[in-house]
Amino acid sequence: MVSCKKSEIFIRAFTKAIQEQNAAVFCGAGLSRPSGFVDWRELLKPLAEEIGLDINRETDLVSVAQFYRNESVTRTEINQSIINVFNKKVAINENIKILTRLPINTYWTTNYDKLLEQGLEEANRKVDVKIDSDQLAVTVPEREAIVYKMHGDVEHPAQAVLTKDDYELYDIKRPLFRTALKGDLVSKTFLFIGFSFEDPNLEHILSQMRSLLDENVRTHYCFFRRIQLKDYSDDTEEYCYNKAKQDLREKDLRRYGIKTIFVDDYSEITDILRKIEMSVRNNNIFISGSAEVFSKWDKESAENFVFKLASRLVKHNFKITSGFGLGIGSSVINGALSEIYRSKHKQVNKYLFLRPFPQNISDPEECKKLYSQYRENMISGNGVAIFVFGNKKVIDLSEDVINSEGCREEFEIAHKQDCLLIPIGSTGYMAKELLDEMKSSINDYPYLKNYLDVLENSMDVDTLINTILNIVENNRKSN
């Protein structure tokens, strides 16, 4: 089992790096294996057999690849092997899904497959893929993530880095990749995942970093599955040897600022990544609501409440998402902006995410479908959802006011996405309806038990805001 203290320290540190936009991921072959792809040893196994080598007895895999290349007239068989192995369709595994959903902008990989790109696309993130040095000088417009494929791509197997020749010519064929990686290793906190640290390229770069920065290297993290006796058929001598070697590897990585998180089972890595995602999400708050009328509240008091709520949330370093709801959207935005400009160095994108709904869609069914998709996307990435007011006028001559079904739908989506749900019942309408429902099954929402009276009845702005902050801060600390 992973050390709770070490994993908690790592989760806090890496979450902070993500929130500060200083996080990066380095992906090795182990990340793609759960999807059905092979690691380097398995890729080379049939090639090694052709030249009379047993891949299980080899430790220098780069040399094995070079031996095969030396025996071949051309590189065609190596290229074909890469295509055969990495060109099949496979499902994206859970670790890749989580890593590509996280708001991380920088991904490095030695893998030839396209799982990272696919994961980012599924997460609706525009990706800029870098395969050769020429691409480093250009930028894909409106990109949300960069994937550096420093060893090439399955679609260009002839340029893939695999043999000794490839490594020796790396600085000629890909001269800027090492420079770019050095820069990221200095400025970002890396998580190495699925990586064995036996790659000559990375070893060369880490050595240079160590010589340049000495003891002042940045802290990075990696996952290792702990060597276990059950893996060795009770061969105690072999187990002890490999356990000692792994311990030595861990100590050696510390020289480069890389701290090891040991797990007993690979499923623990998924659990840790989920905790990181939840920790990041809990820092993001969606405010739902619309108001054409304000019931017991007058318009000025309602707008002041929403303004101060948004302002205080930003002051406590939460990021707000708003769909610019009728009657309250401008107060959310103005409240957030007032604090951003006052104390957050005008970093609007870091603390405010605006998603006004598309307008002028004539087909009602198309509009309903589009709005549902829009809400799903808008709420994803948030760990907390606050609901205020929630009413609208019926579009006919009666001008009757009804509870907003849009607010209800946002509640259902947020619930499905495991958000912390906080309806402010005292604002009335849909918010009250939602709180009443939660109150009737309060054991499902234990975090609200001590605050029901305030949420249900209070109209004091400061009392309500302090209560909301207590709930979200307690939730943030507990995850």
Side-chain angles (χ1 to χ4, degrees):
M1 182 179 292
V2 65
S3 165
C4 290
K5 185 175 181 181
K6 280 191 174 182
S7 67
E8 287 169 6
I9 292 171
F10 161 64
I11 289 168
R12 285 196 299 269
F14 201 65
T15 297
K16 183 180 179 183
I18 292 172
Q19 291 167 345
E20 294 176 350
Q21 300 180 335
N22 292 325
V25 178
F26 200 119
C27 307
L31 183 64
S32 298
R33 287 197 70 182
S35 290
F37 285 130
V38 300
D39 60 18
W40 205 6
R41 186 175 295 276
E42 289 171 296
L43 172 66
L44 292 174
K45 182 178 179 180
L47 304 182
E49 289 174 351
E50 283 190 39
I51 57 174
L53 295 180
D54 180 354
I55 198 67
N56 294 320
R57 297 173 64 182
E58 299 297 328
T59 56
D60 185 355
L61 300 183
V62 175
S63 291
V64 172
Q66 185 63 47
F67 295 157
Y68 183 86
R69 176 67 184 87
N70 295 343
E71 294 297 309
S72 304
V73 177
T74 69
R75 186 182 158 120
T76 302
E77 289 302 318
I78 291 178
N79 298 343
Q80 190 62 53
S81 180
I82 291 172
I83 291 174
N84 292 345
V85 170
F86 294 105
N87 208 33
K88 60 184 179 180
K89 289 187 177 181
V90 299
I92 301 172
N93 63 67
E94 186 64 18
N95 288 348
I96 291 178
K97 287 181 180 180
I98 297 171
L99 288 169
T100 51
R101 283 197 303 257
L102 286 167
I104 295 171
N105 301 322
T106 304
Y107 299 82
W108 284 84
T109 183
T110 52
N111 299 343
Y112 309 129
D113 63 68
K114 294 181 175 295
L115 291 180
L116 276 177
E117 299 95 298
Q118 292 170 16
L120 289 162
E121 288 167 4
E122 284 193 10
N124 297 310
R125 303 179 66 197
K126 192 170 183 179
V127 58
D128 186 358
V129 182
K130 308 296 187 185
I131 300 171
D132 59 53
S133 292
D134 292 342
Q135 293 173 317
L136 297 180
V138 296
T139 302
V140 171
E142 300 178 356
R143 70 185 182 189
E144 296 175 272
I146 311 173
V147 175
Y148 295 96
K149 306 190 80 168
M150 65 182 295
H151 283 181
D153 180 86
V154 63
E155 291 187 0
H156 307 279
Q159 284 77 51
V161 177
L162 188 64
T163 67
K164 270 190 177 181
D165 285 342
D166 298 327
Y167 281 99
E168 289 168 359
L169 295 173
Y170 195 88
D171 280 337
I172 297 174
K173 293 185 175 181
R174 289 180 171 84
L176 298 180
F177 270 85
R178 283 180 175 170
T179 302
L181 180 54
K182 287 178 197 174
D184 281 345
L185 285 166
V186 170
S187 62
K188 299 180 184 296
T189 298
F190 270 74
L191 169 61
F192 293 88
I193 182 167
F195 207 80
S196 65
F197 291 96
E198 295 176 356
D199 183 87
N201 254 339
L202 186 61
E203 186 173 343
H204 173 74
I205 292 166
L206 291 174
S207 297
Q208 286 190 318
M209 296 292 299
R210 179 77 168 81
S211 64
L212 288 171
L213 298 176
D214 195 28
E215 300 291 331
N216 300 310
V217 292
R218 192 180 183 94
T219 299
H220 307 293
Y221 300 90
C222 71
F223 288 119
F224 273 172
R225 181 178 178 271
R226 198 184 305 276
I227 296 292
Q228 297 172 56
L229 181 59
K230 65 181 180 180
D231 299 330
Y232 294 87
S233 302
D234 296 325
D235 186 341
T236 306
E237 183 178 347
E238 185 71 10
Y239 160 74
C240 290
Y241 177 84
N242 286 302
K243 176 68 169 61
K245 186 176 179 180
Q246 187 178 70
D247 292 342
L248 292 169
R249 167 67 75 179
E250 178 202 7
K251 292 176 183 177
D252 189 56
L253 287 173
R254 290 182 205 163
R255 295 191 304 128
Y256 306 117
I258 301 173
K259 294 184 177 180
T260 302
I261 309 299
F262 280 112
V263 298
D264 291 330
D265 189 271
Y266 289 120
S267 64
E268 294 175 32
I269 296 175
T270 306
D271 293 338
I272 291 171
L273 293 180
R274 285 183 180 136
K275 288 179 181 178
I276 291 172
E277 182 177 31
M278 183 56 69
S279 184
V280 171
R281 287 182 59 199
N282 284 340
N283 201 61
N284 301 333
I285 298 178
F286 173 61
I287 298 180
S288 170
S290 59
E292 295 211 45
V293 296
F294 297 92
S295 184
K296 297 181 290 183
W297 294 70
D298 60 68
K299 187 173 186 295
E300 183 179 352
S301 297
E303 290 177 344
N304 179 53
F305 165 53
V306 176
F307 178 97
K308 290 185 71 174
L309 172 62
S311 177
R312 291 279 298 280
L313 288 172
V314 170
K315 184 177 181 179
H316 283 73
N317 296 315
F318 290 99
K319 182 175 183 177
I320 295 173
T321 296
S322 172
F324 214 103
L326 180 68
I328 69 160
S330 58
S331 296
V332 171
I333 295 164
N334 291 334
L337 288 175
S338 70
E339 188 61 33
I340 291 169
Y341 276 78
R342 189 187 72 81
S343 67
K344 303 300 180 183
H345 307 289
K346 301 181 181 179
Q347 295 179 308
V348 176
N349 291 337
K350 186 175 179 180
Y351 295 99
L352 184 60
F353 182 53
L354 297 179
R355 292 296 300 270
F357 280 82
Q359 301 299 315
N360 303 319
I361 303 171
S362 56
D363 185 339
E365 287 301 315
E366 181 186 350
C367 182
K368 183 178 179 181
K369 181 180 178 181
L370 180 61
Y371 274 27
S372 293
Q373 293 173 344
Y374 199 83
R375 288 186 171 103
E376 289 268 3
N377 182 257
M378 177 171 59
I379 296 170
S380 67
N382 289 276
V384 180
I386 299 171
F387 301 86
V388 295
F389 301 100
N391 66 67
K392 67 176 186 177
K393 288 184 178 179
V394 180
I395 307 176
D396 60 20
L397 297 178
S398 68
E399 292 293 311
D400 287 341
V401 174
I402 61 171
N403 288 350
S404 168
E405 63 269 19
C407 188
R408 158 69 68 180
E409 184 179 13
E410 288 165 3
F411 178 87
E412 298 297 339
I413 292 170
H415 186 275
K416 185 175 67 175
Q417 296 185 6
D418 295 323
C419 290
L420 192 80
L421 308 169
I422 310 175
I424 313 304
S426 62
T427 61
Y429 303 102
M430 184 55 75
K432 181 181 186 307
E433 185 177 312
L434 295 173
L435 184 64
D436 288 344
E437 291 175 11
M438 293 176 71
K439 185 179 177 181
S440 67
S441 55
I442 192 61
N443 288 335
D444 294 331
Y445 311 98
Y447 58 90
L448 291 183
K449 282 185 178 181
N450 296 329
Y451 305 101
L452 281 174
D453 182 60
V454 173
L455 295 175
E456 193 172 18
N457 301 305
S458 179
M459 292 179 62
D460 182 82
V461 169
D462 290 330
T463 299
L464 279 171
I465 292 174
N466 288 335
T467 296
I468 294 168
L469 284 171
N470 282 338
I471 295 171
V472 296
E473 287 285 9
N474 289 337
N475 177 64
R476 185 157 64 172
K477 290 175 183 176
S478 65
N479 287 281

